Amino acid sequence: MKKKLVVLTGAGISAESGIKTFRDSDGLWEGHDVMEVATPEGWYKNQELVLDFYNKRRQQLKEVKPNLGHIILAELEKDFDVYIITQNVDDLHERAGSTNVLHLHGELLKVRSVQNKNLILDWTEDLNTGDLDENGHQLRPHIVWFGEEVPALEEAINITETADYFAVIGTSLQVYPAAGLIAYAPSTTPVFYIDPKPIAIPNIRNKVETIAKFASEGVADLREKLKNL
């Protein structure tokens, strides 16, 4: 049986493919205040702005490609039972070949009904006012905005609780509840923390090995370390 490797990824791994994050510039995301484009209040205040913002992000996805970090994680499935839990809303893990990817914060390439959160549709083009679900309700980006519950959290916790190895890649460990997932890894599970500017992880029981590198280079190091365990 393959050992289970659970990987929590954040914006840092996608940044190397050219996808910007709101933490790059004083709370701005591609020039927008996150409160305007990533909250329910922003949606109700200016639906057209929010739709345009995510339309541009969706189009940007067509211009970027998975990087070496994504690719190596996919290749690790040859030797490990790999589960990716990602805070990212892009599809770069899937495009790299990873087969078990759980999106905590939603997906750019899906939309959902404003009236029924379980009515989710695949969506690759622009989403506009007047694009409705089968019951005549407006569709919105399938993104977990600030202040909304994280539907996939329970599944993420269940996955983390069974990890033989746990890796954290390219996340600031500042956004909850995702940042709290590490606490659910078994206390005997080794943790690998990859980030060019690592922080101290508070109240962790596990043995932590820090790799102070950007995602692609750090994941390559992770592969070698796992081989030697």
Side-chain angles (χ1 to χ4, degrees):
M1 293 231 349
K2 294 179 180 177
K3 295 282 190 179
K4 183 182 247 183
L5 169 64
V6 178
V7 185
L8 174 64
T9 66
I13 194 167
S14 293
E16 291 186 50
S17 291
I19 296 179
K20 293 182 180 179
T21 74
F22 71 83
R23 293 191 182 278
D24 288 343
S25 181
D26 299 326
L28 298 180
W29 187 7
E30 296 284 3
H32 291 274
D33 183 334
V34 294
M35 301 308 289
E36 294 181 349
V37 296
T39 63
E41 292 79 12
W43 170 256
Y44 293 123
K45 178 182 177 182
N46 193 337
Q47 181 175 301
E48 291 295 334
L49 173 66
V50 175
L51 289 172
D52 180 65
F53 178 81
Y54 288 100
N55 286 341
K56 288 176 179 174
R57 306 287 74 72
R58 205 175 291 111
Q59 293 304 316
Q60 182 188 46
L61 266 189
K62 299 178 180 179
E63 301 168 5
V64 299
K65 297 179 179 179
N67 60 59
L68 186 60
H70 296 107
I71 292 167
I72 293 175
L73 287 176
E75 291 175 346
L76 282 170
E77 290 190 11
K78 297 174 185 175
D79 300 308
F80 298 90
D81 188 12
V82 182
Y83 283 79
I84 308 283
I85 301 170
T86 186
Q87 298 175 74
N88 301 330
V89 297
D90 59 65
D91 65 338
L92 295 178
H93 282 301
E94 289 91 340
R95 282 159 58 187
S98 289
T99 58
N100 298 307
V101 183
L102 180 66
H103 289 266
L104 282 178
H105 296 157
E107 299 178 62
L108 270 176
L109 296 181
K110 292 182 179 178
V111 299
R112 71 174 187 258
S113 169
V114 296
Q115 288 296 113
N116 181 358
K117 64 183 180 181
N118 297 315
L119 203 167
I120 301 167
L121 304 172
D122 293 328
W123 204 272
T124 58
E125 302 303 324
D126 285 356
L127 177 65
N128 300 303
T129 297
D131 288 328
L132 310 177
D133 68 15
E134 59 193 27
N135 297 313
H137 300 295
Q138 177 65 38
L139 295 167
R140 56 159 276 184
H142 182 48
I143 304 294
V144 177
W145 289 325
F146 290 99
E148 295 185 321
E149 67 174 349
V150 181
L153 182 61
E154 185 174 350
E155 184 179 354
I157 290 172
N158 291 338
I159 292 169
T160 301
E161 288 177 336
T162 61
D164 293 303
Y165 307 110
F166 191 84
V168 179
I169 303 172
T171 172
S172 64
L173 291 175
Q174 300 295 306
V175 178
Y176 285 82
L181 272 179
I182 197 168
Y184 291 93
S187 59
T188 55
T189 295
V191 172
F192 299 89
Y193 176 29
I194 301 171
D195 197 277
K197 296 179 180 179
I199 64 170
I201 303 175
N203 304 319
I204 187 164
R205 309 165 294 172
N206 307 64
K207 177 183 177 183
V208 179
E209 183 164 354
T210 300
I211 303 172
K213 296 182 178 181
F214 287 102
S216 291
E217 190 177 358
V219 174
D221 282 7
L222 172 65
R223 176 172 56 185
E224 294 308 308
K225 291 178 184 296
L226 290 171
K227 283 182 179 179
N228 295 324
L229 289 176

